[in-house]
Every structure is written in C-alpha cells, then in structure tokens.
Amino acid sequence: MRLSDLKTGESAVIVKILGHGAFRKRVMEMGFVKGRKITALLAAPLRDPVKYRLMNYEVSLRRTEASLIEVMPINVSSVKEDNRPEKDAGSHLAFASDHTMVDDGALDEHSHGEFVGRRHTINVALIGNPNCGKTSLFNIASGAKEHVGNYSGVTVDSKTGTFRHGGYTFNIVDLPGTYSLSAYSPEERYVRTYLKDHNPDVIVNVVDASNLERNLYLTTELIDMDHSMVIALNMYDELRRSGAVLDYEALGNMIGVPVVPTVSRTGEGVDRLFDTIIQVYEGKNPVVRHVHVKLSQDLEKSLSEIKDALKRDKTINQQFCARYLGIKLLERDAEIEELVRESKKADELLALRNRQLEYLERHNPGEDISSLIADDKYGFISGALAETMKQPQEQAVSTTHILDAFVTSRLFGFPLFLCVMAFIFWFTFFIGAYPADWIQEGIDWLAAFVKENMAPGPLKDLLANGVIGGVGGVIVFLPNIMILFFFISFMEDSGYMARAAFIMDKLMHKIGLHGKSFIPLVMGFGCNVPAVMACRAIESRSSKIITVLITPFMSCSARLPVYVLLIGTFFSAHAALVFLGMYLLGAVVAMVTARMLRRFFFKVDETPFVMELPPYRVPTMKTSLRHMWWKGKQYLQKMGGIILVASVIVWALDYFPLGNADDPSRDSYLESVGKTVQPVMEPLGCSWQGTVAIVAGIPAKEIVVSTLGVLYTGSDEATDQALSTRLTALNPATGEPDFTPAAALAFMIFILLYCPCLATVVAIVKETGHWGYGAFTIFYNTAVAWILAFAAYRIMLLF
C-alpha cells in the first residue's frame, strides 16, 4: 500500500521510496528510509496535508507526496510498548536479513518475512527504440515467449513477466518501442503515461550498440526524467564485429548511468545486467549520479526560470522531474501543458513559458525551439561518443547495403517479393501435405476403430462424427499453419518485412496510405487480431482507421484449412497459383476499399513515410521454431476448446431430432437453419451444408472445415473416406456433387472476404474507439464477399 492510504492512528513500515530526483533525496534526508516505522497522526481539515510521526518527530506531507512512498502496515498486536524489546531496552533498530534496518518490535516474525520479501521485489521497466532487442531481453530473462520481430511496432502493448535472480524477485514490464518521450505517437504516450502512473523502481534503457547515436537520444530524455536507470548495451556482438571500440565504463561515468553490454539473443551479459539493477536499486552503484544534458546558453537560461517556478509548485513536479517538464513546455508538448493546467498557478506558469519562447525566438530567428533542443542533445551525444568510442579507420561495406541493392531496387524489388510469397505458399501447400497425410491416416484409423468397437447409439455417433469428424477435419491442417507461421516469423526477424514496406510505399500512397500500413497487412496473413493491434504504430488517425478496416481482407491462417481442402480437391494441378491468387485477391480488395475510404470518407493524409530500416539479421533457428511452436500450441488449444465445443454443437444440431431417422422428410435442426438461409447463398452454388459451415464460421473461421467434417460424415463408409472424397461424392437427393470447381472457388472467395471473426471485430472496435467501425466491417465485408463470389461462380460456369 502507499503511505497516503494509511488511516489516522495506523502505523506502517517504509518499504521503498518511489519518487525521483529532488523529492526522493529530500524525503530520504528527512528520515524516510527503508525499515523505519511511521504513524499517521491527523489530517488537515480539508484532508490535505497529513501529519506523520517519524523518528520521534512530526512531519507533514501532501497526499500526492505520500502516494510515492510504499509502506507495509503493522500488525498492532505484535508491537511492543515504546517499540523496545524487553531484552535490550536501549536498542531501537534490528537488521533484516538483507542488512536493512527495521524499527525493533515493529513487525512480528511473519510480517518481518513479508517485509523482506517486498523489499526484495524490484519493478523494472524495459524502455528503448524499436528493434533494439527489448522483447528478446524480456524473453530470455522472464522465460516468456513473446514474438520478436526486426521491425517497428512488434510490441504494441506492454507485457509483464516475473523471475528471480540473486535473491530478488523482478517484475519486468516490456514497454512499446519508442524513439522519444514526447506525445507524437501512441507508443510515446503509452510509455510516458506508464512512467507517470507506475513509477518503476529501475528503468532498463535498452540501447542498440550498433546504432548508438540514434538510440542515445531517448537516453537523454530518460536522464532528464531523473529516474533510477541502467543502460543495457544490447547487440554488443554487432558492435564488436564492426571493428569499433567503445569504453562503455567511461561512457557510464560521463552520463551518470551504469552501462552493461548484453547480447540478448544468446544471453551474454544478462546476469551482470540484473546484478547491476540490484546495485542501483539498493543505492550501492558508484556510477549513479544525476547529470544535466547541457543545452545552449539561451535554452539553459529560459529553462532555469521555468524549472524554478515548477519546483515551487508541489502539485506538479511529483510525477515528473521539473527539468523534464520545463523542456517539454518549451517544446509545446500538449499533454504536459494539460498537466500544468491542473495547477492553481497554471496561468502564471504558461505565461512564463510564453515569455521565454518569445525570448528564444528573438535570439534564434527562424529556428524551431524543438529543433534547437534536439540539436543540443545530439551534440551532447556526439561529444560523449567522441570521448569514449573509436571507429574503425575503414568503414567496410555492410551486408545490409549489399542486400538492399537488390531487395529494394526498382528492377528486382517487386519480382523478388512476389517470388518470396509464391515460394512460401508452395512450401506451405506441398511440403505441408506430407505430414498432413500422416495425420489424416491416423484420424481415419481412429474413426474406423470407434466404428468397429462401439455399440450403435448417440455416443458412438458423437465420437465418430462429431469429435473425430469435426476436430480431426481441422487438426489435419496443423502442419500447413505451422509452416506458414515459420516463414512469417523468419521474414519479420530478418528485417525483410521492413523492406517490403519500403518497396510498397509508392503503391500504398496511391491508395491513400503509406508503407507503414503494409506491415499490419502482411501480419494479417498470420492472424488478423494482432495485425489490427499493430496499427497503433501508425501516427495518423485516418490512416490507422483505414488500415484497421482493410486488414480483415488479408487471408489469416484460420482460412488456410479451407484453401488446403478445396484447392487440393479441385485445383491440385495449379495449387500454388490458386493459393497465391486467393491471397492477392484479398490484397486487391483491401486496396480498392482503402482508396474508396480515403476518397469519400477521410481527408487526404500527407503524413510522411518515416520508418526505420533495421540491418539484416540472420534469425536463429531456435527463435523461429519457438514462434512456430507457440502458434501451433495456440492452434491446438483451439482444437480442444472452441472448435471441439462447436463441433459437438454442430453434431447435435445435425443429429437431432431423432425422429428424422423414421421420417426422412423431417429435417434436422441444422438442416432447417441451412435451408432457411439457403436462398441467399444458392446463387453462389452453395449447398445447405456449405451455408451452415459459413454461418458456423462467423465466431471463428477454423470452425468452417470442422463443420463440413461433421456434416459430411454420415454413413460408415463415408467415415472411412477423406473429407475431400466426401465433398465430391454424388448427393443422393440431387444426383450431383454438392461441391464443383465453380462452387468451390466461390466458397473460398466468400470465406476469404466475408465478415471477420468476432475476436477481430472486437479488436477493430477497441482500436478505433467506435462500435460503428465494427458494424461497417461486418456488413460491408459480407456484401463484397457475396458480389465477388457470385461473379466468380458465374464466370466459372462459362468454362
């Protein structure tokens, strides 16, 4: 709990000080140290401030200040009179196992153990630029399996993990990648809000050692914030390979922040990093000191006056350091201005800021103040690196430059991208067919075993037709899905995904977007939900909304079983071509939709295309296989969850009422539903079974094939046949097969384009902030799906 939560008359023991800079130093000098007993005496008539007793003297704190002190309440029954133990009346302090002084008698044995445990809990926030290896470090430290990608926007939300090291428990938070702590992008706002609301014990600033000058700009802003911090000099192996030599210890001494080289890909230096975090947390690291990132004389003069005024206003500078607030006010940061307006002296502070801006503009005509501050900070960085880093005399031509000469060229860029995608689809279909056939054989054997060894009845029918026919019909495509995710992971980790966005920028610009929108669209090939969430990295709101709305047209892996089933059944001779065609059709529909939305609903967006092109890196097989296995595990969990339940429901609706066995003219519940909706789908060549599968696929597209598996498993003979064989069998009622090549193509197009799964709709509503966009996606996508499926069916009939 926080000290501000302590009620009058209650006592507690101080666990840690969460504030920063001058506040932290001031209260510690006044005796607010770990292990001290503190008692709430009384509150002022307006409940603020509050008077406390500490070390036999009284002190008052505002509740905003008290909220930055973490305490542990004392069990009153365990407290001895006068806080003095009977055996030694002269002793006031006892040492905890970690050498922290605790007021003697304040805690019983159980509470003392809890105090030590909480003292040994360190809250750590990982902050750094995109592509700096934060999530890799998070994974290797906490054992989590978050996806790691070599491009901006992989971490679109914070992730938490816990692990133990050196007798301490670390609560680690992996925050989104950000280039600064302004309020320009959603990531910047998210990180800054987190620091304001949660105030971590130690910040780990993860820095890409191969790109120090750019990465250290964020470091200067964190220094301005005056938080406890450690720098993880990540990817240090790349710095060594480049031939550069960095005296990182001298750099740390220069900026007052300990620097630890790490290679999160292999785990090198991670133990030393967390040992250093413990030292900083305990206040035992000799390097730590607060250093001002010096600005020009004019800027420092103006900043000094604003900073002094902010320090006098205790209602503001508890959340952020006064120097940081002053710099952001000079930069006209909108969110910081809103924070200042909460003060009673807001008009006075903003007027002072405006006078200082006028002064700076007079002395620096034609210059933007934010640019002046950035120039000074980069000057500080350049000076620090000039003192501590030696570059190799000859700069070798990097592998990245050589590869980019081909990958991003006008001649080879597009053909190479199409060839890569075609190869991925070919490999997914043909190589994945072998393990898929082995799984199919196992499912057929299991179904035959149930048929032969169980007595007739509903239970036998449920197991053979519902469970094995439904779940087995989908699980057979697990190898295809895992192969697809392996390649997507490989492209992301290697840095090729960012190049794909680069070469697609001009095409994306023609539809009213820019290359940054291309990454969520490619991610949509895996799953639409994280792809929609990845749109947070797009700064322009109109571009973000358009990208969110067109992302469901990207063919996710849940649709893959439908393609594998029907393409393998009807178009096996041209499987790779049809496969690629389905994915391209989704992309074309997305582009046309984006163009229409930009033209009729959203104003022209001139947001510049600014995106980092990270160096190429060879992904480790371990990382790619781990990502593939993780996605495969999620798919298997769906098999045992939503798909199993859906398969049983579909079986029950198809099996009942039992009277239809005696009365062939009486339809099952499921057939009744299918025939009710059938008039809408009949122009597409869709049977009632296909219509039911489409309706069942609204919650999750994986259910489509499992529904077909249940519906087309009727007789004992049919159970022994593969689902593809059952689809092409003659329907006794019509004398023709339910699925023909024309009907199969129309069915795939409809599944590709119609309303996305419920999870994607929820993600769309969440990311756009309005339910109307979710409703638009449902109705618009379904209408487009029907029109194009109808056109494809009629054209196919002509041939």
Side-chain angles (χ1 to χ4, degrees):
M1 65 182 292
R2 302 298 172 90
L3 181 58
S4 56
D5 299 325
L6 205 63
K7 296 179 181 177
T8 300
E10 292 182 343
S11 298
V13 171
I14 297 172
V15 177
K16 62 178 72 168
I17 310 299
L18 301 176
H20 59 81
F23 166 78
R24 181 184 178 91
K25 183 178 179 181
R26 176 166 58 90
V27 296
M28 290 180 71
E29 289 172 347
M30 293 173 65
F32 287 80
V33 293
K34 295 166 285 192
R36 289 290 185 183
K37 177 186 170 185
I38 187 168
T39 303
L41 297 180
L42 61 89
L46 298 179
R47 297 191 71 251
D48 208 10
V50 179
K51 184 166 69 170
Y52 299 94
R53 182 170 64 236
L54 174 72
M55 296 174 60
N56 295 322
Y57 81 99
E58 296 177 356
V59 61
S60 67
L61 289 179
R62 290 190 177 92
R63 290 187 181 273
T64 54
E65 297 171 326
S67 66
L68 297 174
I69 301 174
E70 184 178 337
V71 298
M72 192 180 78
I74 293 174
N75 183 358
V76 178
S77 63
S78 70
V79 181
K80 292 180 170 49
E81 188 69 25
D82 262 347
N83 288 333
R84 298 173 186 264
E86 297 172 357
K87 62 181 180 181
D88 185 359
S91 174
H92 293 273
L93 298 172
F95 282 88
S97 60
D98 63 344
H99 306 296
T100 297
M101 292 186 297
V102 182
D103 280 358
D104 205 6
L107 301 176
D108 59 20
E109 185 176 348
H110 172 76
S111 299
H112 191 278
E114 183 183 349
F115 168 80
V116 173
R118 289 175 60 179
R119 271 282 301 115
H120 279 175
T121 299
I122 306 177
N123 300 314
V124 176
L126 302 181
I127 300 177
N129 287 187
N131 312 317
C132 69
K134 285 186 298 78
T135 304
S136 295
L137 182 60
F138 173 80
N139 285 344
I140 200 165
S142 66
K145 297 179 175 63
E146 295 297 341
H147 178 41
V148 179
N150 188 20
Y151 63 91
S152 172
V154 173
T155 309
V156 294
D157 210 337
S158 65
K159 302 174 180 66
T160 59
T162 301
F163 86 111
R164 290 189 60 80
H165 173 83
Y168 287 75
T169 298
F170 292 85
N171 296 324
I172 309 176
V173 179
D174 177 23
L175 294 170
T178 178
Y179 292 105
S180 71
L181 293 175
S182 300
Y184 177 62
S185 71
E187 290 83 6
E188 292 169 348
R189 290 192 294 271
Y190 187 99
V191 172
R192 192 163 70 181
T193 301
Y194 180 88
L195 293 177
K196 175 171 72 74
D197 295 343
H198 295 84
N199 214 320
D201 296 320
V202 180
I203 291 172
V204 174
N205 177 207
V206 186
V207 171
D208 181 356
S210 65
N211 197 351
L212 275 175
E213 190 165 9
R214 205 279 318 284
N215 277 244
L216 286 175
Y217 183 83
L218 176 61
T219 305
T220 63
E221 296 215 305
L222 292 170
I223 290 173
D224 289 336
M225 279 192 162
D226 196 15
H227 272 283
S228 296
M229 184 166 66
V230 177
I231 292 177
L233 193 63
N234 203 27
M235 304 180 191
Y236 193 66
D237 54 335
E238 295 188 10
L239 178 70
R240 287 191 298 241
R241 281 198 300 270
S242 71
V245 178
L246 175 68
D247 187 346
Y248 56 85
E249 292 182 348
L251 178 63
N253 285 317
M254 188 177 295
I255 63 177
V257 181
V259 179
V260 181
T262 60
V263 182
S264 57
R265 184 171 56 89
T266 63
E268 178 186 339
V270 173
D271 287 344
R272 182 183 170 192
L273 172 66
F274 283 96
D275 288 338
T276 307
I277 293 172
I278 293 172
Q279 291 178 352
V280 171
Y281 173 72
E282 296 292 357
K284 298 176 181 177
N285 191 287
V287 174
V288 176
R289 62 190 177 93
H290 182 52
V291 175
H292 283 172
V293 178
K294 294 292 290 183
L295 305 177
S296 66
Q297 185 175 353
D298 289 339
L299 283 170
E300 284 291 345
K301 178 179 180 300
S302 296
L303 178 59
S304 178
E305 295 196 28
I306 297 173
K307 183 179 67 174
D308 291 344
L310 288 169
K311 282 183 176 180
R312 291 191 293 270
D313 191 333
K314 302 300 181 183
T315 62
I316 298 178
N317 67 344
Q318 303 302 323
Q319 296 167 321
F320 293 116
C321 176
R323 182 176 178 86
Y324 173 78
L325 290 173
I327 291 173
K328 291 304 171 186
L329 282 176
L330 289 175
E331 292 177 345
R332 293 186 173 91
D333 188 295
E335 285 194 357
I336 296 301
E337 287 186 7
E338 287 299 317
L339 180 65
V340 169
R341 286 193 175 94
E342 296 175 4
S343 169
K344 295 179 181 178
K345 299 180 180 179
D347 293 339
E348 179 183 332
L349 289 169
L350 292 175
L352 173 62
R353 188 278 309 268
N354 292 337
R355 289 197 301 272
Q356 296 305 321
L357 285 176
E358 291 174 2
Y359 165 80
L360 290 171
E361 288 167 355
R362 283 198 309 270
H363 286 76
N364 301 273
E367 294 286 351
D368 177 67
I369 305 304
S370 296
S371 298
L372 290 175
I373 293 173
D375 287 345
D376 286 348
K377 287 193 171 185
Y378 275 115
F380 173 86
I381 294 167
S382 298
L385 292 179
E387 293 288 330
T388 58
M389 189 172 182
K390 293 181 179 179
Q391 295 285 359
Q393 292 184 350
E394 293 185 4
Q395 296 286 342
V397 179
S398 68
T399 304
T400 293
H401 293 152
I402 296 173
L403 290 175
D404 274 348
F406 295 93
V407 171
T408 63
S409 71
R410 181 181 301 179
L411 181 61
F412 298 109
F414 279 106
L416 182 60
F417 175 71
L418 292 176
C419 288
V420 167
M421 298 306 295
F423 172 77
I424 290 173
F425 297 139
W426 173 85
F427 201 97
T428 299
F429 185 83
F430 283 101
I431 304 302
Y434 293 102
D437 288 342
W438 302 334
I439 296 175
Q440 182 66 60
E441 291 174 3
I443 292 171
D444 293 342
W445 175 86
L446 185 59
F449 179 81
V450 171
K451 285 286 187 178
E452 293 172 2
N453 293 277
M454 288 190 66
L459 181 59
K460 174 182 177 179
D461 202 88
L462 170 62
L463 292 176
N465 300 337
V467 177
I468 299 175
V471 176
V474 182
I475 203 172
V476 71
F477 302 109
L478 176 63
N480 305 92
I481 289 172
M482 293 183 74
I483 290 172
L484 180 63
F485 272 113
F486 175 84
F487 280 113
I488 291 177
S489 173
F490 192 90
M491 285 200 302
E492 292 171 349
D493 296 346
S494 66
Y496 180 69
M497 194 74 85
R499 270 70 186 182
F502 175 79
I503 64 175
M504 293 295 291
D505 177 59
K506 188 169 185 179
L507 180 60
M508 299 298 288
H509 187 71
K510 289 183 180 297
I511 63 173
L513 300 174
H514 57 61
K516 209 167 188 178
S517 297
F518 185 69
I519 287 179
L521 299 182
V522 176
M523 287 180 67
F525 291 156
C527 179
N528 290 161
V529 175
V532 168
M533 295 172 65
C535 296
R536 297 178 190 177
I538 302 172
E539 292 84 2
S540 164
R541 175 163 173 78
S542 62
S543 293
K544 171 186 170 180
I545 291 176
I546 293 174
T547 309
V548 164
L549 294 179
I550 66 175
T551 295
F553 289 122
M554 298 296 102
S555 187
C556 67
S557 62
R559 299 172 172 103
L560 187 61
V562 179
Y563 303 156
V564 175
L565 173 65
L566 296 181
I567 291 174
T569 304
F570 297 99
F571 308 102
S572 58
H574 307 285
L577 185 61
V578 178
F579 228 107
L580 181 60
M582 294 303 300
Y583 283 81
L584 288 177
L585 176 62
V588 169
V589 172
M591 291 180 180
V592 173
T593 301
R595 184 61 183 163
M596 292 170 58
L597 289 172
R598 177 63 74 189
R599 181 169 184 179
F600 297 110
F601 295 100
F602 297 96
K603 63 181 181 180
V604 175
D605 179 27
E606 295 298 339
T607 304
F609 176 52
V610 180
M611 181 179 174
E612 181 185 1
L613 291 178
Y616 289 101
R617 296 187 175 101
V618 180
T620 62
M621 186 60 66
K622 178 182 177 181
T623 301
S624 297
L625 289 176
R626 185 171 64 179
H627 181 228
M628 179 188 74
W629 169 246
W630 187 248
K631 291 298 182 181
K633 182 180 177 182
Q634 290 178 324
Y635 189 72
L636 288 173
Q637 288 171 341
K638 278 189 176 182
M639 298 299 103
I642 184 173
I643 293 178
L644 176 60
V645 173
S647 298
V648 172
I649 293 173
V650 170
W651 168 85
L653 293 174
D654 188 44
Y655 187 79
F656 296 103
L658 288 171
N660 66 355
D662 301 321
D663 181 9
S665 64
R666 185 176 178 184
D667 293 336
S668 67
Y669 296 130
L670 196 61
E671 192 170 355
S672 299
V673 172
K675 290 180 178 178
T676 300
V677 185
Q678 183 60 17
V680 179
M681 303 303 296
E682 191 170 4
L684 311 183
C686 197
S687 64
W688 72 264
Q689 291 96 332
T691 301
V692 170
I694 288 171
V695 173
I698 292 175
K701 297 297 179 285
E702 293 93 340
I703 300 174
V704 173
V705 171
S706 67
T707 302
L708 292 175
V710 172
L711 295 177
Y712 282 96
T713 307
S715 63
D716 290 356
E717 292 77 13
T719 306
D720 297 331
Q721 299 172 346
L723 180 55
S724 59
T725 305
R726 293 175 240 154
L727 295 180
T728 56
L730 295 179
N731 187 326
T734 63
E736 298 179 354
D738 290 336
F739 278 86
T740 63
L745 183 62
F747 188 85
M748 287 191 295
I749 291 175
F750 194 87
I751 294 296
L752 164 69
L753 301 174
Y754 86 124
C755 68
C757 68
L758 292 183
T760 302
V761 174
V762 171
I764 289 172
V765 173
K766 182 179 178 181
E767 293 305 317
T768 59
H770 198 285
W771 64 268
Y773 291 112
F776 171 84
T777 299
I778 293 172
F779 292 106
Y780 173 78
N781 290 26
T782 304
V784 170
W786 194 95
I787 293 170
L788 292 183
F790 175 79
Y793 179 68
R794 294 300 166 183
I795 292 172
M796 282 288 288
L797 289 180
L798 296 178
F799 297 97

